């Protein structure tokens, strides 16, 4: 099945340029060195899915001309990956459907705390309308089109009124394979990557169990995170990143979640092995 992935953002939690920094990377005039927080838009099996929804989501969505979204798949609960979820209210309004969010149970608990107003009853008028689906790092799961969700009708001063019922059995669906990794070598925080046919998107990991690597065989393209050359407590070093790419054996490999501690794009690309590339905002990958 054909899959297409667009990098909406390829930066680390602080983005590039970083506030207050005057380093050569942050002052670079190469647009590929201007990085919003890490996120990807995936078109797969007729569905449009967002992987992570960080603080730059509004800017990313406008830049990409986004008008439709079937689902959001969250990797973990950190704010640079969830801080833009309130902006999905615009999709509620113009699409007239709730937004489906797929995440691990601990991520849902975090969202219910951070976005308490979105779950409160009665709801504050205009709060985002979401449908949360719990997933784990094991078996493949089904993502549903939002076309068969209940319809949202806006009533001024009151909020959304839901009309009709959800009919997931009638919705277009795709199967997505989760890949579990860890944001800390002591396995203190679970992070999910996702495989969409021939493309797999992974970020914010510095440990992946060997059994999970079996899910990544036969890929056209794979991504992983790297924030600096040397060791880091929660991200791959460059050597660890390259070792991961070697084990996976994808045709092409892409580094994302890049910080200003790595070289400028052009220099970085020149020191990487063949078939390994630094990703940049707006880069498109396709698998047939």
């Amino acid at each position: 099945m054909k899959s297409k992935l667009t990098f909406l953002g390829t930066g680390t939690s602080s983005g590039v340029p970083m506030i207050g920094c005057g380093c050569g990377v942050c002052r670079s005039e190469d647009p590929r060195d201007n990085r919003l927080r890490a996120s990807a838009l995936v078109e797969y099996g007729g569905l449009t899915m967002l992987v992570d929804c960080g603080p730059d989501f509004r800017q990313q969505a406008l830049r990409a001309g986004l008008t439709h979204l079937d689902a959001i798949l969250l990797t973990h609960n950190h704010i640079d990956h969830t801080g833009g979820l309130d902006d999905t209210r615009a999709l509620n309004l113009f699409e007239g459907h709730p937004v489906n969010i797929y995440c691990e149970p601990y991520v849902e608990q975090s969202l219910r705390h951070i976005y308490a107003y979105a779950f409160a009853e009665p709801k504050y008028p205009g709060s985002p309308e979401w449908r949360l689906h719990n997933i784990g790092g094991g078996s493949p799961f089904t993502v549903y089109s939002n076309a068969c969700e209940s319809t949202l009708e806006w009533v001024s001063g009151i909020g959304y009124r839901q009309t009709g019922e959800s009919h997931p059995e009638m919705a277009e669906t795709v199967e997505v394979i989760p890949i579990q990794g860890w944001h800390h070598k002591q396995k203190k925080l679970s992070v999910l990557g996702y495989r969409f046919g021939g493309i797999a998107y992974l970020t914010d990991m510095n440990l992946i169990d060997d059994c999970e690597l079996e899910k990544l065989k036969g890929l056209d393209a794979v991504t992983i995170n790297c924030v600096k050359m040397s060791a880091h407590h929660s991200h791959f070093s460059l050597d660890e990143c390259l070792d991961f790419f070697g084990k996976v054996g994808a045709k092409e490999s892409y580094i994302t979640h890049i910080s200003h501690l790595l070289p400028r794009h052009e220099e970085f690309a020149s020191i990487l092995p063949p078939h390994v590339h630094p990703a940049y905002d707006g880069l498109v990958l396709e698998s047939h």
Side-chain angles (χ1 to χ4, degrees):
M1 188 184 301
K2 181 179 178 180
S3 53
K4 176 181 176 181
L5 184 147
T6 302
F7 290 96
L8 298 182
T10 56
T12 189
S13 58
S14 56
V16 183
M18 188 175 178
I19 294 172
C21 184
C23 76
V25 175
C26 287
R27 290 185 288 106
S28 171
E29 296 182 0
D30 187 338
R32 295 172 296 183
D33 289 320
N34 195 323
R35 303 180 184 279
L36 300 177
R37 266 66 73 91
S39 177
L41 188 68
V42 177
E43 298 166 66
Y44 181 51
L47 271 61
T48 301
M49 296 169 280
L50 179 71
V51 182
D52 286 337
C53 186
D56 299 322
F57 171 66
R58 179 180 179 277
Q59 182 179 352
Q60 293 168 340
L62 291 172
R63 184 170 65 180
L66 182 67
T67 59
H68 168 71
L69 197 60
D70 287 295
I72 298 173
L73 282 57
L74 297 177
T75 59
H76 61 302
N77 66 341
H78 284 173
I79 288 296
D80 57 317
H81 297 263
T82 63
L85 284 170
D86 184 79
D87 283 322
T88 61
R89 291 181 295 120
L91 296 171
N92 294 151
L93 179 63
F94 292 113
E95 289 210 80
H97 293 292
V99 173
N100 288 307
I101 298 177
Y102 295 77
C103 61
E104 292 193 82
Y106 88 88
V107 178
E108 176 178 348
Q109 292 175 8
S110 181
L111 297 182
R112 288 183 177 275
H113 174 70
I114 297 169
Y115 295 101
Y117 63 91
F119 299 95
E121 293 294 345
K123 274 191 152 186
Y124 183 84
S127 297
E129 295 282 343
W130 301 324
R131 296 288 177 272
L132 270 62
H133 307 264
N134 281 168
I135 56 174
S139 302
F141 61 95
T142 301
V143 176
Y144 295 85
S145 165
N146 73 343
C148 291
E149 288 286 351
S150 56
T151 300
L152 299 177
E153 178 184 342
W154 175 253
V155 181
S156 181
I158 297 175
Y160 287 110
R161 180 170 60 197
Q162 295 191 26
T163 61
E165 297 180 355
S166 298
H167 294 282
E169 72 280 359
M170 299 173 60
E172 192 169 5
T173 64
V174 293
E175 184 178 84
V176 175
I177 300 173
I179 300 95
Q180 186 179 48
W182 301 93
H183 210 350
H184 194 282
K185 282 188 166 61
Q186 277 69 50
K187 298 188 176 182
K188 291 185 177 180
L189 184 70
S190 173
V191 180
L192 293 184
Y194 301 101
R195 177 170 182 165
F196 310 92
I199 299 175
Y201 180 87
L202 289 77
T203 188
D204 283 57
M205 300 179 182
N206 77 339
L207 177 66
I208 303 174
D209 294 330
D210 288 342
C211 60
E212 294 296 299
L213 296 177
E214 292 300 316
K215 301 177 183 178
L216 299 173
K217 299 302 182 184
L219 287 170
D220 290 323
V222 66
T223 79
I224 198 63
N225 53 290
C226 181
V227 298
K228 63 177 185 175
M229 297 286 195
S230 57
H232 189 277
H233 71 278
S234 60
H235 290 276
F236 279 139
S237 68
L238 181 58
D239 284 345
E240 290 170 330
C241 181
L242 297 178
D243 180 64
F244 165 79
F245 288 147
K247 290 178 180 177
V248 172
K251 293 178 182 177
E252 303 292 337
S253 301
Y254 296 85
I255 298 172
T256 190
H257 210 283
I258 294 170
S259 81
H260 69 159
L261 298 176
L262 289 167
R264 297 181 187 183
H265 178 91
E266 187 172 1
E267 178 187 348
F268 194 21
S270 71
I271 64 174
L272 294 174
H275 310 299
V276 176
H277 320 276
Y280 56 87
D281 294 17
L283 176 65
V284 176
L285 310 181
E286 294 190 73
S287 171
H288 302 279

